[in-house]
Amino acid sequence: MTQYNDTQHLTSNEQISRVTVNNAPDDNPATLWLIDDDVALRLVLADTFEDAGLNVISFTQAQAAWTRLNDVLQQHEVADQLPDVILTDIRMPMMDGLSFSDWVHQHFPKLPIVIMTAHSDLTSAINSYQTGAFEYLPKPFDLDDAVATIYKAINYQPNQELVTQPTVATDITIDTPSEADSKLNIHSKVINKTKPTIQTASKVNATSKPNKTTKNKAELKTNTNANNNPSGIIGQSQAMQTVFRAIGRLAHSPITVLITGESGTGKELVAGALHEHSPRAQQPFIALNMAAIPHDLIESELFGHEKGAFTGATTTRQGRFEQADGGTLFLDEIGDMPYSTQTRLLRVLANGEFFRVGGQQPVKVDVRIIAATHQNLEELVKQGKFREDLFYRLNVIRLPLPPLRTRPEDIPALASYFMLRAAEQINSAEKKLHPTALQVMQSFEWRGNVRQLENVCLWLTVMATGETVMVEDLPPELLKNTLSLQEPRPQQNLSVIETTQNQQHNDGVYSLNQNKQNVQNNPVSQTNENQSWQQALAIWAEQSLQTGEIDILQTATPEFERVLLKAALNHSSGKKIVAANLLGWGRNTLTRKLQQLDISSSAMQNNLD
């Protein structure tokens, strides 16, 4: 495919600097392989990375990139053809990005891969890191952040090593690449159409060595979504994406983790996910809440006791540490652990040994410790209630969990998940939330966080009548939020645009196209001299959010660009270069936008250059 860039309109003083590996000469820029079957996104990313000084080679499918790499592996091409970094999507036809990443990591272990996906759930994040990915980018991501990530990856491990296996292609079903794949890059060799390519994602894994500590890569769950998360951790917000990345990076490490967050934010779920995706997954996961055990029984609960150690100790009993040997011990509410017990825990963390209560022989265990608390341990240390040395032992990696009120965009998916679970629990039909009821739930503070939301969903499933949960069906603590939401705004703040929409859409559903048509039919200057286009846009955004719409930026941006593009073309009498300068774009960017927005050039002017 043709590579688009905007350097054509730059002067000699504006030429972009090229990004190189280890400050190599500027005439040898670093190479990025970009793999995505989404044409529009691929073009945008290619432009971005080329403007950032990279040599970009684009592929529509992972199998075409695999063919190129396999040619190097089979020594049909020189190693100079290898890229410096690969950026790939997950969901693609023929061969998915996770299988491709797993194969590359096995045969080119020092070639960094960055994985991007629109299905940004916990499973995708963990699977990405399990395949050896350098980084995981959930869509939508900031382009500047993506460029920064690629820069880091380029100089991560620049010296490539090949793990040659001459028989690698013999067990793989072959197919002839499509014509589109054979034209992927005008800067490189023409791909030999007789070379084998991957037919299915599972075939490539047939050559991989078995790894007992990871799932079969042929069965990686690439089709999970927010409502089908086996770990029960749901979220599309940026805060949760940070948590997903942390879990993905920490899962395979034996390092101690301290999870912090308010009650009900899901600390035990995160601890369970860290264990479930770790090499210890087949061993026990023992959870113990320090606040739920009487202080005089905590030592026996943790370390066990010998027969006769105290009154009532009629038999020898294993403690939680012994039960979790080889696995993971989750110590919830660690801030409530008695000071005396903290000393014994410190010894276990230091050398893996402890004595049962009343015991004379040390017991050695191999246990990963994951601790959690809703308290401020630093403050407890200052107050002398928590050992400072134990705090630093536990605080190796801290993983803070966001409260639910800071991520209202996750509430629809969470509520849907809990409503389905509640229906299964009581063996009834699943109930749906009316958009207005969902809006009330999104505006609620949720001091009990996700646990409180789960309880509300169960309450609604039992108590609400009808298949659709209306505002009046919500529990009393949520209904107090409806008054402020339902109070009408002063009449003088209502524009003709809003009034017209209210008349045309009594069901409260609005669309950007209809808003745009209303604006065109009712110019601001004729309806309200004091109202700007920003105010009209703000009204539309507020109405869309109130009706439960999401991704409103994705809806608004193309329409915003379409209006400006048409205005610039009309003002320039259809001259693309002039219009591009008016918009601050390059000519190729303008051409691409015309295609993406499906704007006919002939419809603008007959004399387009």
Side-chain angles (χ1 to χ4, degrees):
M1 59 172 282
T2 302
Q3 300 297 318
Y4 292 88
N5 63 69
D6 291 339
T7 58
Q8 297 175 357
H9 70 285
L10 297 175
T11 65
S12 59
N13 294 329
E14 295 174 322
Q15 291 299 317
I16 55 178
S17 60
R18 310 301 290 177
V19 177
T20 60
V21 178
N22 290 341
N23 299 317
D26 192 61
D27 59 354
N28 185 27
T31 299
L32 164 70
W33 281 12
L34 174 61
I35 310 172
D36 199 314
D37 58 340
D38 186 327
V39 177
L41 179 60
R42 193 170 65 246
L43 290 173
V44 171
L45 290 175
D47 273 352
T48 298
F49 292 119
E50 285 179 348
D51 289 345
L54 297 168
N55 177 34
V56 180
I57 300 176
S58 297
F59 298 86
T60 60
Q61 294 180 0
Q63 69 165 29
W66 177 87
T67 300
R68 293 282 301 276
L69 291 175
N70 195 54
D71 283 346
V72 175
L73 192 66
Q74 302 302 315
Q75 301 180 352
H76 297 151
E77 289 192 19
V78 296
D80 291 343
Q81 296 294 321
L82 288 175
D84 298 296
V85 62
I86 297 176
L87 177 62
T88 180
D89 194 17
I90 286 185
R91 295 192 179 186
M92 293 177 289
M94 303 296 292
M95 182 181 190
D96 65 85
L98 293 178
S99 296
F100 174 74
S101 175
D102 179 47
W103 183 87
V104 171
H105 185 64
Q106 291 182 41
H107 302 288
F108 301 88
K110 292 190 176 182
L111 175 54
I113 293 184
V114 178
I115 290 180
M116 56 183 173
T117 179
H119 306 278
S120 47
D121 56 13
L122 176 60
T123 302
S124 296
I126 290 177
N127 286 343
S128 296
Y129 290 115
Q130 283 184 345
T131 63
F134 172 81
E135 187 54 281
Y136 165 80
L137 289 177
K139 300 176 185 176
F141 48 77
D142 184 86
L143 291 177
D144 290 339
D145 292 342
V147 170
T149 299
I150 294 301
Y151 281 0
K152 292 178 183 178
I154 285 173
N155 290 291
Y156 171 55
Q157 288 178 323
N159 299 321
Q160 304 299 327
E161 291 184 0
L162 302 182
V163 183
T164 56
Q165 293 186 6
T167 60
V168 64
T170 58
D171 297 329
I172 300 176
T173 302
I174 63 174
D175 192 13
T176 303
S178 64
E179 183 178 356
D181 292 334
S182 67
K183 300 177 181 179
L184 289 171
N185 177 29
I186 61 175
H187 304 295
S188 61
K189 291 183 180 180
V190 176
I191 300 176
N192 188 340
K193 292 187 178 182
T194 62
K195 292 295 180 184
T197 58
I198 301 297
Q199 176 70 17
T200 62
S202 60
K203 297 295 182 182
V204 72
N205 301 310
T207 63
S208 305
K209 294 181 179 180
N211 187 347
K212 295 181 180 180
T213 64
T214 60
K215 296 179 181 179
N216 184 346
K217 301 301 187 300
E219 298 175 354
L220 286 174
K221 300 177 182 178
T222 62
N223 61 345
T224 56
N225 54 46
N227 292 330
N228 190 28
N229 194 319
S231 298
I233 307 176
I234 295 171
Q236 296 291 319
S237 62
Q238 288 300 318
M240 289 307 298
Q241 295 307 316
T242 301
V243 173
F244 292 167
R245 285 197 191 94
I247 295 175
R249 289 185 179 278
L250 293 170
H252 270 228
S253 169
I255 201 166
T256 301
V257 178
L258 176 62
I259 306 172
T260 60
E262 298 177 4
S263 296
T265 49
K267 295 187 288 293
E268 185 169 349
L269 285 178
V270 171
L274 286 169
H275 171 78
E276 178 186 350
H277 298 282
S278 74
R280 301 171 179 263
Q282 302 304 317
Q283 302 302 320
F285 173 78
I286 304 296
L288 193 63
N289 190 323
M290 297 292 98
I293 305 173
H295 285 191
D296 56 346
L297 296 179
I298 282 185
E299 289 198 11
S300 175
E301 190 73 22
L302 283 172
F303 308 112
H305 59 257
E306 296 289 350
K307 181 179 179 180
F310 51 83
T311 303
T314 57
T315 60
T316 299
R317 179 182 180 274
Q318 283 189 345
R320 300 300 188 183
F321 270 98
E322 286 183 85
Q323 294 174 8
D325 190 18
T328 302
L329 178 61
F330 174 53
L331 300 177
D332 199 5
E333 299 302 344
I334 190 72
D336 290 315
M337 177 179 283
Y339 200 88
S340 59
T341 309
Q342 294 174 25
T343 305
R344 298 196 63 183
L345 176 60
L346 186 62
R347 176 182 176 85
V348 182
L349 292 175
N351 55 27
E353 288 185 353
F354 64 90
F355 290 87
R356 297 193 188 106
V357 176
Q360 302 297 322
Q361 297 296 324
V363 179
K364 193 165 185 69
V365 292
D366 174 23
V367 175
R368 182 188 189 182
I369 299 295
I370 299 177
T373 182
H374 74 282
Q375 302 182 67
N376 187 330
L377 292 186
E378 290 96 331
E379 187 62 31
L380 293 180
V381 169
K382 292 179 182 179
Q383 297 173 6
K385 298 179 180 179
F386 200 86
R387 290 185 61 106
E388 186 175 14
D389 47 3
L390 177 59
F391 169 72
Y392 289 118
R393 282 281 185 180
L394 294 173
N395 194 37
V396 180
I397 297 291
R398 184 181 299 201
L399 180 54
L401 300 187
L404 183 58
R405 61 183 173 276
T406 64
R407 52 187 187 104
E409 62 269 39
D410 290 337
I411 289 179
L414 283 165
S416 177
Y417 175 78
F418 289 137
M419 295 291 278
L420 177 60
R421 272 203 353 184
E424 294 174 347
Q425 182 177 344
I426 65 174
N427 194 26
S428 68
E430 179 186 1
K431 295 181 180 179
K432 302 294 183 181
L433 290 166
H434 188 273
T436 308
L438 186 59
Q439 178 195 349
V440 173
M441 296 176 71
Q442 287 181 287
S443 65
F444 189 64
E445 289 188 341
W446 298 110
R447 291 297 174 181
N449 293 292
V450 180
R451 184 181 296 119
Q452 183 183 7
L453 175 61
E454 181 178 12
N455 292 338
V456 167
C457 290
L458 179 59
W459 187 92
L460 290 172
T461 302
V462 175
M463 303 299 294
T465 58
E467 297 181 356
T468 302
V469 177
M470 309 301 291
V471 172
E472 55 268 24
D473 295 323
L474 296 176
E477 62 267 26
L478 271 71
L479 286 177
K480 63 182 180 181
N481 282 357
T482 61
L483 181 59
S484 59
L485 293 173
Q486 293 177 350
E487 288 180 351
R489 288 170 292 175
Q491 185 62 34
Q492 59 269 26
N493 292 335
L494 294 177
S495 67
V496 172
I497 298 173
E498 186 177 10
T499 304
T500 303
Q501 289 173 333
N502 287 337
Q503 293 172 351
Q504 293 179 346
H505 306 283
N506 293 326
D507 59 353
V509 179
Y510 304 92
S511 70
L512 185 61
N513 289 331
Q514 290 160 336
N515 272 339
K516 185 183 68 175
Q517 182 179 359
N518 287 334
V519 172
Q520 293 171 345
N521 294 337
N522 302 276
V524 171
S525 60
Q526 298 178 11
T527 60
N528 189 339
E529 294 180 357
N530 296 324
Q531 186 183 39
S532 65
W533 66 268
Q534 293 98 329
Q535 291 171 324
L537 180 62
I539 290 173
W540 169 82
E542 182 179 348
Q543 293 169 342
S544 299
L545 293 174
Q546 286 181 352
T547 56
E549 292 188 29
I550 59 175
D551 292 337
I552 62 172
L553 184 61
Q554 302 300 321
T555 303
T557 300
E559 298 298 330
F560 182 78
E561 291 181 341
R562 180 179 284 107
V563 170
L564 294 181
L565 182 53
K566 288 183 178 180
L569 286 169
N570 286 331
H571 185 77
S572 65
S573 299
K575 293 181 174 61
K576 292 183 180 178
I577 294 179
V578 177
N581 289 333
L582 291 173
L583 294 169
W585 287 344
R587 178 191 171 105
N588 286 329
T589 298
L590 183 140
T591 302
R592 186 178 72 253
K593 291 293 184 180
L594 286 172
Q595 297 172 349
Q596 291 177 358
L597 300 174
D598 195 23
I599 298 176
S600 173
S601 299
S602 60
M604 295 291 98
Q605 293 288 339
N606 293 326
N607 62 339
L608 290 181
D609 57 327

